[in-house]
Amino acid sequence: MGKILAFSLIFSNIFIGLAVAADWSILNPRFRNELGDSLKKYCESWRINVEVNNIRDFQVVPQECVQHIQKYMTSSQYKADSEKALEEVKLFLSGFCNLKGDGKDAWIFDVDDTLLSTIPYYKKHGFGGQKRNTTSLESWMRKSKAPALTHTLDIFNEIKDKGLKIFLISSRKETLRSHTVDNLIDVGYHGWSGLSLRGLEDELLEVQEYKSAVRQRLVDEGYRIWGIVGDQWSSLGGHPSAKRTFKLPNSIYYLA
Amino acid sequence: MGKILAFSLIFSNIFIGLAVAADWSILNPRFRNELGDSLKKYCESWRINVEVNNIRDFQVVPQECVQHIQKYMTSSQYKADSEKALEEVKLFLSGFCNLKGDGKDAWIFDVDDTLLSTIPYYKKHGFGGQKRNTTSLESWMRKSKAPALTHTLDIFNEIKDKGLKIFLISSRKETLRSHTVDNLIDVGYHGWSGLSLRGLEDELLEVQEYKSAVRQRLVDEGYRIWGIVGDQWSSLGGHPSAKRTFKLPNSIYYLA
């Protein structure tokens, strides 16, 4: 039994080695399919465990899964998953929010990959398979050309129309303020009540600490935070939180 | 534009109506494939949004998705996803735990669909598509025949071998204690330090409140809770929590 196990372990390692290193086209089609299925399963498990916050602090997408992640993040499934999350926001708003209408009802959004998509950048920069290059990413952000995630734009407007105050809390640097505002307005977002970016002192904090501190200030000012929409768990966790939080999919990068 | 939208909405509703109600085999194969793809995408979005805790408080799996959920929950992907989650537990244990070894290092597990699988029951009872029938489920639990989730058993033993005290916190009723203990021991679990089940007074609480209260008692007794493994967000949320929490997949039912 032990021998069989050892043998199949060696065998499956050879398989994975081949999958990563070799030119797939030289393989027997049946082997190629088996390899493909097993790699797909592995990468799908990686992705789902990122989504539920079991896998944390990754610096790059595992090399063998970059293609899988790119495929998902540019697929109609990614779009459908985001839309379903935002439908749940709508459901929550319609059924559960007893808004006071005193100007203190608040809602929070992330910016990147929540309001704006960074996918056009990552498409040209290894799709998560390369270590985050802040200089290059920020120079892209300065172009203010990130497209809107259109379904988030819809829900943004709906929340605003309900009379809630919208606060954007982003881990982008304060120095990117004008480019960020230009970008947001250009693709259709307007009428938010606050946009928090990270000043020099905030950069010493982890993202979750920084975002929680901003929410604490809002709560201290008397705001009731009904919801948060974000693509990173660090936008949703920590105290104070919100009545409800909503996680959008993103398995390209991790912000702690 | 509005007319096109209205038309395509009607059209897609006819499609979904057909998908749910009709005998698929009478449809043109191309239509059948398109319907299948669109339903699969919809159900996958439903599932993933349950997993990340965007969809809450559902009483049944949507009828049109029961087959999809059953397929996933009995698939090698479900197994791979669970295994990946437990690999992350292993990684956390090896790299981050500065255990004191004073008998106060603790770890918490859920019981159903974490240590034991209820899938054999749901296979015979509509796979989440029927409203939870407590009488029938508990009568199945009394048979003590739930199989172990073997990868959780491995990690259970590994955690125990590291000298952590293991506490099981379950929303099963106190009246099921002996059947639960028999079942757990029978499939290989032993050596836990506590098994909390819900007494009559706990049944008035929501699951998350009840589980948090048990953890509070542990913390009051001086335990440091390093981790929680569970398949429901209500096992992981609330205060006090743990250094890390790990979510196993389960989209058959929801415990608030």
Side-chain angles (χ1 to χ4, degrees):
Chain A
M1 186 62 194
K3 270 186 192 167
I4 296 173
L5 186 68
F7 185 71
S8 55
L9 275 175
I10 291 166
F11 207 61
S12 73
N13 277 341
I14 293 173
F15 260 30
I16 290 171
L18 281 171
V20 176
D23 177 2
W24 284 44
S25 62
I26 63 167
L27 294 175
N28 173 313
R30 200 170 67 92
F31 276 7
R32 201 163 62 206
N33 286 345
E34 278 174 17
L35 264 174
D37 286 352
S38 124
L39 195 61
K40 193 177 156 193
K41 195 184 296 163
Y42 170 80
C43 294
E44 185 57 15
S45 282
W46 186 84
R47 188 182 76 76
I48 197 81
N49 276 285
V50 166
E51 286 304 336
V52 300
N53 208 18
N54 286 341
I55 294 178
R56 302 184 187 181
D57 296 310
F58 65 92
Q59 296 206 348
V60 289
V61 172
Q63 209 51 51
E64 61 274 32
C65 296
V66 170
Q67 211 184 348
H68 182 84
I69 298 306
Q70 170 153 15
K71 199 173 163 196
Y72 169 74
M73 292 293 295
T74 54
S75 70
S76 56
Q77 187 69 55
Y78 163 74
K79 229 174 142 240
D81 295 350
S82 309
E83 284 171 30
K84 187 72 189 158
L86 296 166
E87 260 178 42
E88 292 300 311
V89 174
K90 212 173 263 201
L91 202 67
F92 172 64
L93 283 170
S94 69
F96 301 100
C97 275
N98 277 318
L99 301 180
K100 284 218 178 159
D102 58 356
K104 291 294 187 184
D105 294 309
W107 195 279
I108 291 169
F109 284 97
D110 258 6
V111 173
D112 290 305
D113 297 297
T114 296
L115 300 183
L116 301 174
S117 174
T118 67
I119 290 176
Y121 171 81
Y122 284 102
K123 262 186 184 163
K124 290 191 179 162
H125 294 83
F127 232 97
Q130 293 166 12
K131 232 174 133 174
R132 198 177 173 87
N133 179 332
T134 314
T135 316
S136 139
L137 178 61
E138 290 181 352
S139 113
W140 178 82
M141 285 171 173
R142 261 184 231 105
K143 291 183 185 143
S144 307
K145 290 290 178 207
L149 286 159
T150 49
H151 285 84
T152 322
L153 178 55
D154 292 345
I155 206 82
F156 177 98
N157 286 327
E158 197 167 315
I159 289 171
K160 202 173 62 182
D161 292 347
K162 274 192 172 279
L164 286 107
K165 295 266 174 78
I166 293 179
F167 295 91
L168 315 182
I169 309 181
S170 169
S171 57
R172 284 189 180 200
K173 286 183 192 151
E174 187 58 52
T175 50
L176 291 165
R177 179 170 294 273
S178 69
H179 308 98
T180 305
V181 170
D182 287 351
N183 197 156
L184 285 165
I185 288 176
D186 196 43
V187 298
Y189 295 100
H190 57 89
W192 61 79
S193 300
L195 165 63
S196 296
L197 301 172
R198 279 209 282 185
L200 276 177
E201 69 287 4
D202 299 320
E203 285 181 45
L204 301 172
L205 301 174
E206 293 216 315
V207 175
Q208 179 164 312
E209 287 177 297
Y210 149 69
K211 293 199 167 184
S212 303
V214 177
R215 292 198 299 272
Q216 186 61 60
R217 285 200 292 276
L218 291 174
V219 168
D220 292 346
E221 290 167 23
Y223 288 102
R224 289 174 297 280
I225 307 174
W226 288 95
I228 309 173
V229 180
D231 63 294
Q232 298 285 323
W233 284 99
S234 54
S235 304
L236 311 176
H239 300 278
S241 185
K243 299 258 179 216
R244 277 287 304 263
T245 62
F246 298 87
K247 168 78 176 73
L248 292 178
N250 183 6
S251 40
I252 311 178
Y253 56 85
Y254 182 92
L255 298 177
Chain B
M1 186 61 194
K3 272 188 193 164
I4 295 172
L5 186 68
F7 184 71
S8 56
L9 275 176
I10 291 166
F11 206 62
S12 73
N13 276 342
I14 293 173
F15 259 31
I16 289 171
L18 281 171
V20 176
D23 178 1
W24 283 46
S25 62
I26 63 167
L27 295 173
N28 172 314
R30 199 170 67 91
F31 275 7
R32 200 162 63 206
N33 286 346
E34 278 173 17
L35 265 174
D37 285 352
S38 125
L39 194 61
K40 192 177 158 192
K41 195 184 296 164
Y42 171 80
C43 293
E44 185 57 14
S45 281
W46 186 84
R47 187 181 77 78
I48 196 83
N49 276 285
V50 166
E51 285 304 336
V52 300
N53 207 19
N54 287 340
I55 294 177
R56 301 184 187 181
D57 296 310
F58 66 91
Q59 295 206 347
V60 288
V61 173
Q63 209 51 51
E64 63 273 32
C65 296
V66 169
Q67 210 184 347
H68 182 84
I69 299 305
Q70 171 154 14
K71 199 174 163 195
Y72 169 75
M73 292 293 294
T74 54
S75 70
S76 56
Q77 187 69 56
Y78 162 74
K79 227 172 144 242
D81 295 350
S82 309
E83 285 172 29
K84 186 74 188 157
L86 297 167
E87 260 178 42
E88 292 300 312
V89 174
K90 213 173 261 202
L91 203 66
F92 172 64
L93 283 171
S94 68
F96 301 100
C97 275
N98 276 319
L99 302 180
K100 282 218 180 160
D102 58 355
K104 290 296 185 184
D105 294 309
W107 195 279
I108 290 168
F109 284 97
D110 259 5
V111 172
D112 290 304
D113 297 297
T114 297
L115 300 184
L116 300 175
S117 174
T118 67
I119 289 177
Y121 171 81
Y122 284 102
K123 262 187 182 162
K124 290 191 180 163
H125 293 84
F127 231 97
Q130 293 166 13
K131 232 174 132 174
R132 198 176 172 88
N133 180 332
T134 313
T135 316
S136 138
L137 178 61
E138 290 180 351
S139 114
W140 179 80
M141 286 170 172
R142 261 184 230 105
K143 290 182 186 144
S144 307
K145 290 289 179 209
L149 286 159
T150 49
H151 286 84
T152 322
L153 178 55
D154 291 345
I155 207 82
F156 177 99
N157 285 328
E158 197 166 315
I159 290 171
K160 202 173 61 180
D161 291 347
K162 273 191 173 283
L164 287 107
K165 294 265 173 80
I166 293 179
F167 295 91
L168 315 182
I169 308 182
S170 168
S171 57
R172 285 188 179 199
K173 286 184 194 150
E174 186 58 52
T175 50
L176 291 165
R177 179 169 294 272
S178 68
H179 308 98
T180 305
V181 170
D182 287 351
N183 197 157
L184 285 166
I185 289 175
D186 195 42
V187 297
Y189 295 99
H190 57 90
W192 61 80
S193 301
L195 164 63
S196 294
L197 301 172
R198 279 209 283 183
L200 276 177
E201 71 286 6
D202 299 321
E203 285 182 45
L204 302 171
L205 301 174
E206 293 215 317
V207 174
Q208 181 164 312
E209 288 177 295
Y210 149 69
K211 293 197 168 186
S212 303
V214 177
R215 292 197 300 270
Q216 186 61 60
R217 284 201 292 276
L218 290 174
V219 168
D220 293 345
E221 290 167 23
Y223 287 103
R224 292 174 297 279
I225 306 175
W226 287 96
I228 309 172
V229 179
D231 63 294
Q232 299 284 323
W233 285 98
S234 54
S235 304
L236 311 177
H239 300 277
S241 185
K243 300 259 179 215
R244 278 286 305 264
T245 62
F246 298 87
K247 167 79 176 74
L248 292 178
N250 183 7
S251 40
I252 313 178
Y253 57 85
Y254 183 92
L255 298 178

